[in-house]
């Protein structure tokens, strides 16, 4: 699965988690850019991503993503390590 495919799927998951059908994310998107992105919805997003991709993020990965790029990069590392 390519990074673009993963990014698109993460965007779909975020749209559902935040209940924002029109959410447009970029690599630079942060929690501060999305009003609905609070600590509760963050954990929901992480849980949904883990379930979708069959991965488990470390505490550092989920508590410290500066932006969507860092989250997707962490996810890609997990995906690539399971190939």
């Amino acid at each position: 699965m390519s990074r673009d495919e993963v990014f698109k799927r993460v965007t779909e998951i975020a749209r559902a988690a935040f209940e924002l059908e029109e959410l447009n994310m970029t690599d630079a998107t942060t929690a501060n850019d999305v009003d609905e992105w609070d600590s509760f919805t963050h954990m929901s997003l992480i849980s949904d991503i883990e379930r979708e991709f069959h991965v488990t993020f470390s505490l550092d990965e989920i508590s410290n993503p500066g932006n969507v790029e860092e989250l997707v990069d962490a996810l890609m590392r997990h995906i690539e390590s399971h190939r």
Side-chain angles (χ1 to χ4, degrees):
M1 183 174 263
S2 74
R3 188 182 189 289
D4 285 343
E5 292 169 321
V6 169
F7 185 91
K8 286 177 187 175
R9 186 63 193 126
V10 167
T11 299
E12 292 169 4
I13 294 167
R15 286 177 179 156
F18 304 142
E19 299 179 357
L20 295 171
E21 288 184 31
E22 300 300 318
L23 176 64
N24 291 312
M25 295 194 316
T26 68
D27 278 337
T29 301
T30 69
N32 292 334
D33 298 323
V34 181
D35 290 338
E36 291 78 7
W37 196 336
D38 58 22
S39 59
F40 178 76
T41 56
H42 178 74
M43 292 311 299
S44 178
L45 173 65
I46 294 299
S47 177
D48 292 347
I49 291 170
E50 288 179 329
R51 197 170 23 259
E52 174 72 19
F53 290 96
H54 308 286
V55 301
T56 302
F57 289 112
S58 70
L59 186 56
D60 284 341
E61 290 170 327
I62 64 171
S63 64
N64 219 4
N67 56 31
V68 172
E69 178 180 28
E70 292 176 17
L71 179 61
V72 172
D73 287 349
L75 178 55
M76 289 302 298
R77 285 191 296 276
H78 284 278
I79 292 169
E80 290 168 359
S81 73
H82 287 95
R83 286 186 179 174

